Every structure is written in C-alpha cells, then in structure tokens.
C-alpha cells in the first residue's frame, strides 16, 4: 500500500475551482481541470510513491502482476488493471457520446488496425479492443443527458415546443413509437444537410424560448433550457436536436449513473467520481470540436428507451459502506462514510484497490502501515496487502474505494 498521485487532465470543459479546492491547492487553478486520472492507463498512468521514489502504476503492476492484481483478477483480465478511476469536474458540457460493446470494440479495433489508421490519428475511433462501461457517482448536484427517453414522452415534448417545422419529425416518431422510430428520427436529425439545420434550428430554439415563457415550471423546462444552453456553446450542431431525445437527469450527491454499451450520453455540469473499464473507446455524436464519425456511432447506438440509468447504492449493514453494483465485471465502486459515530471501517473489498478521499481527512491502515489520506489524495492497495481499515481524522471523511467486481 502506497500513496498514489493522479494525473490532472486540462480539458476546456473542466473547472478552475472544483478539483483544485478538493486537493486544497490554489484556487482558481491556472487552467481548467477536467479530470484527475487514478489508474494504470497507458496514456496517463498515476504514480505510486514507493520507498525508492515515484513509480508509474502501469510499471508497478507490470513488474509483479501476481502480487499487485492477485491471481483471480489476473486470470480474468490478464496482466493489466481492469478499471480506471477518475475525479471529474465539468463546468461546461462534454461531447455527446457512446461507447461500444466488447464485440464491437474487438471488431472495430481489428478493422482500424488492418486499415493502418495510426493509434494517435484524430480520426481513429478504437484505441483498444475493450468495451467501456462507466459509472459516475455525483459528489454534489450533477446534470446529465443519458439514454433515449421513451418515444411517447419525446412526442409530448416535441409537440409542446409547438414548432410547425417539427411536424414531420413528430409524425415520424408518433407513427412508430419504438426503437426503430427513435433510430429513424435520430439518424435523420444527425445527418441533416447544413442548410436544413440552418432553417430548422432557430425555429426549435424559438420554440424552447416560448415554452419557457409559457410554462416556466412546466414538465419540460430543463429539457428546453438545456437545448438553449447547448446551442449557445455549439451553434448549428445537430447534437442540440439530439439532446431533445435523451433523458435529462439531475443527480443528487451520492446517486450513481451507469452507462453500458451503446447508450448515448453527455455529462453537462457537476463534480463526480467516475469509474470505467480501462479503455479509451469513444464514439462522438456532436457537441464537440473533435472527430465525429456518424456512421460508426450509428452502428454502436442502442435505440431502446433507457428507463432508469440511476444506481442507488446498497449499504453493507452496520457499516458506513455503500456499494454501487453494476453489471460490469471490471469494477465495483464503494463509498465509505466516516464520522464520530462510525470513526473506523474495515474494507469488505478484495483485489487491486484504489482509495480516494473526497471530503475531510482519513487515514488508511494495512498491516502495520498507516498513511494519511487527506481530501483529494489517493492510495494504491495491492491485492496481496493485508486487510485495510480506514479511520476518520476530525469530524468526518468520505472515501471512495475502487475494486474489481467480486
Ligand atoms: Zn462516456
């Protein structure tokens, strides 16, 4: 067990306050800080503070996978840490995106390798042959678009906008209120010729403004407001139209959002802990200056309406541990709450683990070793390390623990 130093990624959509304040650094930070990567991803590995100085977690795992990952994880996932843990802070919306299934990723990776598309090419879609299920747990209010809304409800929304130019599209979905209808409408919108978009978009945005004026607290207020905000950042982007087809979610602190293969999503605003399979495979559908490959996106998208992508945690009875169960075998995330009433918790998880303190101050103990884990700091625990306990320092602390699903 050692302290783990993550890597900050400075994407433009990041926050200049959230991650800096969590790490108790100078606020505002000189650049927007979007993500803190805690993992062994080849593109940006975190570093373990060993007795001999900092060492890349990627190399630490590679040097002794049996000890670091354990035999069970090694057998299941090979000689690599199967998950990537991140702290994420979005001041601005992220791109509209989806991730492939394992079979799609294997096929796409092989196809692009055979075609000789360089791994670092901006038009490369598949960086590795892995799927990328992901779970986000909100650390405060968190806003997102995730999965297609039920077609019936979307017909209600589009009708409420009361835009004559939308009539043929409403009729299309109302005439086929199922996944085929959603596929047809999404495909039509995402591939509209620029001239049609230039005519349609202002009408739709006017419809949003009129709806907000008419019904300031109506059932589609957030949807209309989000479309207007996205259009301001990405004028003329068909992703603005696509946003009207997706579930508009507001998560509270502690709520989770799980996205399996093919679910179209865009994180809009907020701070969270995110865990995913250790992959970089993203297919974008708009709201970004980056590469958008519409045909490839259409191949992987799941057009079934997503009823409820929210994940409520399961408390381990009698402890301050809250487990976020998902179907992904690569990871499980646990939130640990420590306070005066429950100053110490023994971790129930096994396997290669990463702990990150998101609030207050904690200490982590394994065998005879004890490390300070203040807010914004992380620790790496090898699968073969002795039992881990966490202790609060002061009033309360919150720690997230990443591990491989049992
Ligand atoms: Zn994603």
């Amino acid at each position: 067990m050692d302290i783990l130093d993550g890597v900050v990624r400075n994407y433009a959509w990041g926050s200049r306050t959230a991650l800096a304040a969590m790490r108790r650094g100078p606020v505002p930070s000189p650049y927007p800080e979007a993500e803190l990567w805690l993992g062994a991803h080849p593109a940006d590995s975190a570093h373990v503070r060993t007795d001999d100085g900092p060492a890349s977690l990627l190399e630490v795992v590679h040097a002794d996978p049996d000890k670091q990952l354990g035999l069970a994880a090694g057998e299941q996932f090979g000689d690599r840490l199967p998950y990537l843990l991140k702290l994420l802070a979005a001041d601005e919306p992220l791109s509209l995106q989806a991730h492939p299934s394992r079979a799609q990723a294997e096929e796409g990776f092989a196809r692009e390798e055979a075609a000789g598309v360089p791994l670092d090419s901006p038009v490369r879609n598949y960086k590795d042959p892995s799927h990328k299920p992901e779970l986000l747990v909100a650390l405060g209010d968190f806003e997102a678009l995730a999965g297609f809304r039920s077609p019936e409800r979307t017909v209600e929304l589009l009708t409420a906008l009361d835009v004559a130019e939308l009539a043929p599209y409403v009729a299309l979905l109302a005439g086929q209120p199922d996944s085929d209808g959603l596929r047809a409408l999404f495909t039509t919108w995402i591939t509209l010729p620029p001239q049609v978009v230039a005519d349609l978009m202002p009408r739709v945005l006017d419809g949003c403004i009129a709806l907000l004026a008419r019904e300031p607290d109506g059932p589609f207020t957030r949807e209309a407001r989000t479309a207007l905000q996205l259009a301001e950042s990405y004028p003329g982007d068909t992703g603005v139209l696509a946003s009207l087809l997706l579930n508009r979610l507001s998560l509270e602190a502690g709520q989770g959002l799980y996205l399996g293969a093919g679910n179209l999503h865009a994180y809009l605003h907020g701070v969270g802990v995110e865990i995913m399979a250790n992959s970089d495979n993203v297919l974008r559908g708009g709201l970004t200056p980056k590469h958008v490959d519409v045909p490839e996106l259409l191949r992987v998208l799941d057009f079934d309406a997503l009823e409820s992508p929210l994940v409520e945690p399961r408390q381990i009875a009698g402890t301050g541990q809250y487990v976020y169960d998902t179907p992904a075998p690569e990871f499980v995330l646990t939130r640990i709450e420590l306070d005066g009433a429950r100053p110490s918790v023994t971790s129930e998880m096994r396997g290669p683990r990463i702990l990150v303190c998101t609030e207050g101050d904690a200490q982590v103990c394994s065998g005879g070793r004890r490390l300070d884990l203040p807010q914004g700091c992380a620790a790496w625990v090898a699968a073969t390390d002795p039992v881990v306990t966490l202790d609060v320092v002061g009033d309360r602390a919150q720690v997230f623990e990443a591990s491989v699903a049992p």
Side-chain angles (χ1 to χ4, degrees), residues 283-303:
L283 295 155
R284 296 186 184 83
L287 310 178
T288 177
K290 288 187 191 168
H291 173 58
V292 173
D293 185 337
V294 169
E296 197 60 37
L297 176 72
L298 292 172
R299 283 159 66 111
V300 309
L301 274 191
D302 180 351
F303 287 96

Side-chain angles (χ1 to χ4, degrees), residues 97-99 132 134 259 265 267 274 282:
Q97 57 184 256
H99 308 292
K132 190 184 174 243
E134 63 189 30
L259 293 157
H265 59 280
Y267 297 148
E274 196 185 19
V282 183

Side-chain angles (χ1 to χ4, degrees), residues 312-402:
E312 298 293 347
R314 160 178 68 85
Q315 184 175 13
I316 300 179
T319 78
Q321 297 175 80
Y322 299 82
V323 185
Y324 296 82
D325 293 310
T326 75
E330 285 88 353
F331 58 77
V332 63
L333 191 63
T334 306
R335 174 167 54 88
I336 301 167
E337 301 285 352
L338 299 159
D339 55 28
R342 208 171 265 143
S344 183
V345 161
T346 300
S347 164
E348 302 254 342
M349 293 299 154
R350 297 291 175 265
R353 278 162 286 169
I354 294 172
L355 298 157
V356 60
C357 180
T358 46
E359 245 185 272
D361 293 84
Q363 284 188 334
V364 55
C365 200
S366 172
R369 198 163 159 75
R370 179 174 284 273
L371 299 171
D372 285 328
L373 205 64
Q375 184 180 292
C377 274
W380 165 253
V381 179
T384 49
D385 282 345
V387 172
V388 170
T389 56
L390 285 153
D391 301 307
V392 70
V393 179
D395 291 343
R396 65 175 303 264
Q398 182 183 65
V399 175
F400 281 81
E401 180 180 36

Side-chain angles (χ1 to χ4, degrees), residues 122-133:
V123 300
R124 177 96 186 204
N125 290 313
Y126 298 94
K127 312 279 171 60
D128 53 71
S130 174
H131 66 161
K132 190 184 174 243

Side-chain angles (χ1 to χ4, degrees), residues 10 13 16 43 49 52 54 58 80 95 102-103 167-168 177 202 216 232-233 267 271-272 282 299 324 331 372 378 380:
N10 302 105
W13 50 262
R16 291 182 60 198
R49 280 189 220 168
D52 306 324
L58 190 62
R80 57 200 284 272
S95 59
R102 191 179 282 122
E232 206 163 289
S233 302
Y267 297 148
V271 181
V282 183
R299 283 159 66 111
Y324 296 82
F331 58 77
D372 285 328
W380 165 253

